[in-house]
Amino acid sequence: MMLARLPVLRLTRSWSSWLAFASAAAVALGSAWVQRSHAAIHGADRALDVYSTLVLPLLVYAIVAAGLGRTGLAASGRSLVRLGASRARVAASTVLVTGLASAIACGALGALVAACAHGEGDPPLGEDVTHVLAFSALAGLAYSAYLMVGAALATGAWARLTLLVVDWLVGAGVGLGAAFTPRAHLRNLLGGEPPFDALPWESLAALATIAVVCSGWAVHRASRTRV
Amino acid sequence: MIQVTDLTGRTRHAPRVELGPVSFSLDAGGSYALVGAPADGVDLLLAILAGTIAPRKGAVSVREAAPTPSASVAYAPYTPDLPAVLDVDDFLRLASRIRGEAETSSPEDRLGVLGVAPLARRRIGSLTFEESRTVALVEALTSRADLLLLADPLVELDPRAVSHVPTALAARAQGGTTLVLTTASRHDAQALCRDWLLFERGKLTLRTADDDEWMPVPTAAGARLFIRSEGARYLLAELAGDPTFQTVQADGAELVVTGRDPVVMATAVATAARRANAELDVLRFDPLEPGGRDR
């Protein structure tokens, strides 16, 4: 728990993480309000499309950057490792904190968007909000772990940005490559086209797998890096 | 405690600094100054001993194991790496917990060791470079680590702290802690440490004797320096015209020189040895009593 204090304070005491959340909320809720004001029949679907494609990945990117103190995963814990803390435990606590923060922020914002933009053609409100909350939270967790792979590879932002661009480009398709990106699976869960004909439960499992495998690899890599 | 054999290293980023090959050993409980500028490789060597940079070649062991950051080693590099989002008192408490130490004194008391207790409530991100260095030094000096690796502990500190550092270092040395520090100042090295190793351009050029002899503090009468070198003949030619030395005598492979300031003498000998391409094997200082007689 004591090792988690540093990433928690980085997130809560950083103005940029709050600004990122406020900006993400403004864009996502603004989009939802437009759908609501036009009384769109499938308002939630449309608003969630903007949310899952644009807002959620960028929000998680900002959370990960703030949680790392704008450096790499190994370097972010250097000050604690030099005191004798285990590299693996320091990295794991950073991955866990940013993953949970991303899940909470994305889940809450997704649920708000679904509630605000809910239209007559959408599933029942309670069911829709619950599903979107769960799917967005899981997607937030998966995106966070996915971006942590970039943070474990390099201290600069370029590796994380590259992975984000790969997710945008490859995840937009429906082929085999898309099955390895969080974007495609989140789209499937929110009613869009599935990647590689995956069923919804398979996309749920894929997001969970991405979260676990990427987190594990990132922690392993950071634990072997001298800082 | 520390064994270094044919060690070479190189910094990962600019400015590029090359170290080695160097070989030496440091005993537990000693106090050692690695004397030289950062460009001479002393800070790089300290980082290798702390386990934060891997050596390129050669072997280095700390307590008979490869060096790695641990709770029993306190490393304060020249550029401190402290978590900017924490308050200073939070950081000191967290450091104690990570090191597995019981909190027997408050953060204010710990900072008071270097006279900077008012920094306790400050956010680390708001500290100046000098204040950050001072906080990092406080953490190292007041930890229970039995090996302190300190980069230039008298340089770029909060002005209130400078006068407290020698006392704090002496207290740790008396308690049996092994001190290894870097400094560019020969006089600081003499004042703070029993034993010192002089580095120039990444090479170890001089060190005080291994047989528990150490540099005497300068006396008004000066000192006599014994040097053994295979290249004594060439070294003699270099030293003979140097006004640093009052007398220069050769006896086979051994040279005996006298002068007023042992630190200046040692530096001049190192420079001459480099020019003469001569290896220095043994070095011993004897203080001269007033009147020029031996003690």
Side-chain angles (χ1 to χ4, degrees):
Chain A
M1 277 301 287
M2 66 178 169
L3 298 179
R5 187 167 164 72
L6 183 55
V8 166
L9 289 178
R10 278 190 180 132
L11 284 171
T12 54
R13 288 184 172 177
S14 152
W15 63 268
S16 60
S17 59
W18 291 109
L19 182 66
F21 186 75
S23 306
V27 173
L29 294 176
S31 156
W33 181 81
V34 168
Q35 298 303 327
R36 189 182 184 89
S37 63
H38 286 81
I41 296 175
H42 292 289
D45 275 356
R46 290 182 183 177
L48 285 171
D49 191 34
V50 172
Y51 175 67
S52 66
T53 308
L54 188 71
V55 177
L56 188 146
L58 288 176
L59 174 60
V60 176
Y61 181 87
I63 290 173
V64 168
L68 291 169
R70 279 161 187 72
T71 183
L73 180 57
S76 73
R78 183 166 47 205
S79 54
L80 304 185
V81 169
R82 285 184 177 173
L83 297 169
S86 146
R87 288 186 184 121
R89 290 177 63 190
V90 170
S93 55
T94 302
V95 168
L96 191 66
V97 166
T98 50
L100 286 176
S102 300
I104 291 168
C106 294
L109 196 52
L112 274 174
V113 169
C116 285
H118 191 260
E120 289 175 12
D122 291 320
L125 182 62
E127 182 188 330
D128 200 24
V129 168
T130 309
H131 282 162
V132 170
L133 189 148
F135 298 157
S136 300
L138 183 59
L141 193 65
Y143 262 111
S144 172
Y146 175 76
L147 294 177
M148 278 297 175
V149 169
L153 285 171
T155 51
W158 64 267
R160 278 177 278 138
L161 272 174
T162 303
L163 284 181
L164 198 60
V165 171
V166 167
D167 175 71
W168 261 324
L169 295 178
V170 179
V174 292
L176 179 61
F180 294 96
T181 62
R183 177 183 175 182
H185 292 293
L186 178 60
R187 184 185 63 224
N188 184 23
L189 288 172
L190 295 179
E193 258 191 303
F196 209 59
D197 294 329
L199 298 170
W201 74 265
E202 289 172 330
S203 281
L204 267 177
L207 283 177
T209 304
I210 289 172
V212 171
V213 170
C214 289
S215 296
W217 188 86
V219 170
H220 174 71
R221 164 96 182 174
S223 68
R224 295 167 65 90
T225 306
R226 272 180 199 263
V227 289
Chain B
M1 166 170 270
I2 294 174
Q3 184 72 45
V4 172
T5 310
D6 294 331
L7 174 73
T8 63
R10 180 189 284 174
T11 50
R12 281 178 284 195
H13 308 292
R16 189 69 81 185
V17 175
E18 298 272 355
L19 172 72
V22 292
S23 300
F24 60 87
S25 62
L26 307 179
D27 297 329
S31 58
Y32 302 92
L34 310 177
V35 185
D40 294 319
V42 289
D43 286 347
L44 171 60
L45 176 57
L46 203 67
I48 291 173
L49 295 178
T52 61
I53 293 181
R56 290 186 73 201
K57 287 180 186 169
V60 55
S61 67
V62 177
R63 296 191 199 92
E64 299 180 354
T68 183
S70 79
S72 59
V73 178
Y75 172 48
Y78 183 78
T79 304
D81 189 8
L82 307 177
V85 291
L86 291 184
D87 293 337
V88 171
D89 53 356
D90 264 356
F91 167 68
L92 291 175
R93 283 194 203 97
L94 183 63
S96 291
R97 290 174 64 189
I98 290 174
R99 289 189 189 279
E101 299 168 352
E103 273 192 60
T104 51
S105 54
S106 68
E108 286 80 3
D109 289 343
R110 294 177 67 181
L111 290 161
V113 169
L114 293 189
V116 289
L119 295 181
R121 302 277 174 214
R122 294 267 302 276
R123 182 75 53 84
I124 287 175
S126 76
L127 299 178
T128 63
F129 180 74
E130 290 78 8
E131 288 168 338
S132 294
R133 272 183 57 78
T134 307
V135 169
L137 193 58
V138 164
E139 195 287 317
L141 286 171
T142 58
S143 72
R144 303 270 168 79
D146 60 6
L147 172 60
L148 303 189
L149 302 171
L150 312 173
D152 263 323
L154 284 178
V155 173
E156 303 232 38
L157 294 181
D158 185 304
R160 292 167 289 187
V162 177
S163 61
H164 297 275
V165 173
T167 314
L169 283 172
R172 289 304 304 260
Q174 277 184 347
T177 303
T178 308
L179 300 178
V180 182
L181 56 89
T182 66
T183 175
S185 160
R186 276 78 164 170
H187 289 286
D188 286 351
Q190 266 197 293
L192 299 177
C193 294
R194 257 182 49 170
D195 201 355
W196 51 273
L197 299 83
L198 180 65
F199 288 81
E200 291 191 33
R201 299 178 192 181
K203 300 283 194 322
L204 174 59
T205 53
L206 275 179
R207 73 166 292 176
T208 42
D210 294 328
D211 55 0
D212 266 347
E213 297 266 353
W214 63 88
M215 280 282 288
V217 292
T219 65
R224 170 175 293 177
L225 171 59
F226 295 85
I227 309 156
R228 185 174 298 150
S229 172
E230 292 302 318
R233 198 153 51 99
Y234 306 104
L235 199 53
L236 176 66
E238 289 287 342
L239 296 178
D242 193 328
T244 305
F245 305 104
Q246 292 168 338
T247 63
V248 181
Q249 295 172 332
D251 182 9
E254 189 165 292
L255 291 177
V256 184
V257 295
T258 59
R260 296 194 70 80
D261 186 334
V263 176
V264 176
M265 287 164 63
T267 309
V269 167
T271 306
R274 199 175 58 244
R275 279 205 302 265
N277 202 20
E279 294 260 333
L280 297 175
D281 295 332
V282 175
L283 188 76
R284 196 177 89 239
F285 284 98
D286 279 345
L288 294 178
E289 286 189 347
R293 288 179 300 148
D294 296 354
R295 187 171 61 174

